[in-house]
Each structure stands twice: as C-alpha cells, then as structure tokens.
Amino acid sequence: MSTNALPPVVDAETWRKELDALRVREKAATRELDAIAAQRRRLPMVEMPDYTLEGEEGPVRLAEIFGDKPQLIVYNHMWFPGKTWQCPGCTGLTSQYTRLEFLDNYDARFVIVTQGPIDEALEYKKRVGNTMTWYSTANSPFGTDVGAPPGEGFALNVFLRDGDTVYRTWHTDGRGTEQISYTFPLIDLLPYGRQEEWQDSPEGWPQSPTYSRWSNSETIAALYGPDA
C-alpha cells in the first residue's frame, strides 16, 4: 500500500509530548470503563420465564444451559432463513472465540443462541469453524424477549442463575457488542484506523464505505472452517 496521507514527522521529544497528552485521555477512559463496570455490577436484575430452547441433544431448559456455572453470557447470532451464509458481522465476531475455557475460573459460560432451526444452526456452526456451543430459539420466544427477534438483529445478554431460577442482568446490541471483540481495538491502534467513511480522520486519510473491509462469511469459513 502506498499513500501520500502520512502523519507529520517530528523529533522524538515532540512525539513523546504528543503521546503523553493522548495518554491522559486514554487513562481517563480506562478509569471511566472501570466505573461503568462497577455500575454494571450494581444493576438490579429481572427474573426470566422457564424457556425451553433446542440444543444438539434436544430440548433444554434455559437454566440447564448454564451447566454447573451460575453465570451465562449469551450472544444472539442474527439469522436469515434459507440463506447459506449468515450475518458476516456475527460470523466474524463469533469466529474470534476459539478458547473460552478461561471463563471456568470465573464461574461462567459463553454460548451462541440463534433463531435458526437447530439442525441448520449446527451445520452453520461447523461450516464456519465455531467451537462454542450453539442453541436454537426457533420454537421459543426467548430471542424476541431478549432483544433479538427473528430477522431483526443481534444482541448480547448476561444471566445469573440461582438454583433453577434465571435472572437477566445486562443487555446490549449494535455497537455495544464491540467491547467483546478484539478486532476493533487492534484496528483502532493503527494510524489509518478502520478506514471507514464515518470515522473522524485527518484529511486525505484512506476511507472506504462502512463494512467494505469486513470479511464476508464465506471468507471466514475458508479461514477457520473444517477445510481451512
């Protein structure tokens, strides 16, 4: 890649001063994220109905999805009926999670739930190389009730189990899910950033239509699927 759009060149002392000024804001943002997490830990919760979803072994109650853990993170994967390749954003996000065993130390589990029929969902999981457990809410109102109705979006929800009673403790969607991705934090460190038109970048910086640099689902499957 060759471009005439380059940051200004300065001496090391000037660069260090500019970096130190930015570091003040970075540290402030870190402290704010700590404060947000502290507030999240103080949120109330709401009791959930006794939903039944579909798993690889058949029907499963929501409380059973926790396994022996009291905490559960659920990513609701967008699903389009009849499509060979599902949402590239969801496919790309979930492809990052190949090692989730560390959650055992925090008494938690991470799973995928989608509106697709369980047989199709499991086939897609295999095709794109996912390793976490998938469940289907095709025959349950669960997806709609937690912000991911059929064909309309994706969501991230967190639940807490006390015995057989399940509570919903947190929810986000849209760009709120970026916080569980490692791709954007890495890309945002680059001088050119995400190179998308909406970003605030210096004049002349390379910019492309939003999503145009994202890998499509077929490419992700080729990189991480069983034939990779």
Side-chain angles (χ1 to χ4, degrees), residues 44-153:
M45 59 187 183
V46 60
E47 184 174 344
M48 302 296 287
D50 188 16
Y51 296 100
T52 298
L53 282 66
E54 296 287 332
E56 190 167 1
E57 303 299 326
V60 57
R61 295 173 57 217
L62 179 59
E64 296 173 327
I65 292 176
F66 287 74
D68 62 351
K69 309 300 182 186
Q71 302 175 106
L72 179 69
I73 302 170
V74 173
Y75 183 80
N76 291 84
H77 194 297
M78 188 182 293
W79 189 269
F80 301 106
K83 297 294 185 181
T84 300
W85 299 107
Q86 298 298 328
C87 170
C90 293
T91 303
L93 179 69
T94 58
S95 70
Q96 299 172 36
Y97 304 126
T98 58
R99 294 178 175 87
L100 292 166
E101 292 78 13
F102 70 92
L103 287 174
D104 290 342
N105 293 337
Y106 298 89
D107 303 313
R109 190 181 185 213
F110 180 104
V111 301
I112 301 297
V113 172
T114 187
Q115 294 281 4
I118 188 60
D119 56 340
E120 295 180 24
L122 292 175
E123 195 280 330
Y124 189 72
K125 167 194 169 180
K126 179 180 179 181
R127 190 186 317 150
V128 299
N130 270 192
T131 58
M132 75 290 288
T133 306
W134 279 51
Y135 296 92
S136 169
T137 188
N139 298 314
S140 165
F142 175 78
T144 298
D145 291 351
V146 298
E152 292 188 24

Side-chain angles (χ1 to χ4, degrees), residues 156-168:
L156 183 67
N157 286 275
V158 180
F159 302 93
L160 182 66
R161 178 176 60 85
D162 182 20
D164 283 338
T165 305
V166 175
Y167 301 91
R168 188 184 187 194

Side-chain angles (χ1 to χ4, degrees), residues 174-210:
R175 291 192 64 195
T177 61
E178 285 187 10
Q179 64 185 286
I180 65 166
S181 166
Y182 69 75
T183 56
F184 293 124
L186 284 176
I187 295 169
D188 285 342
L189 296 176
L190 301 173
Y192 297 131
R194 304 185 196 186
Q195 302 181 43
E196 295 189 350
E197 293 172 335
W198 62 270
Q199 281 198 296
D200 180 1
S201 297
E203 184 177 353
W205 249 230
Q207 289 185 301
S208 307
T210 303

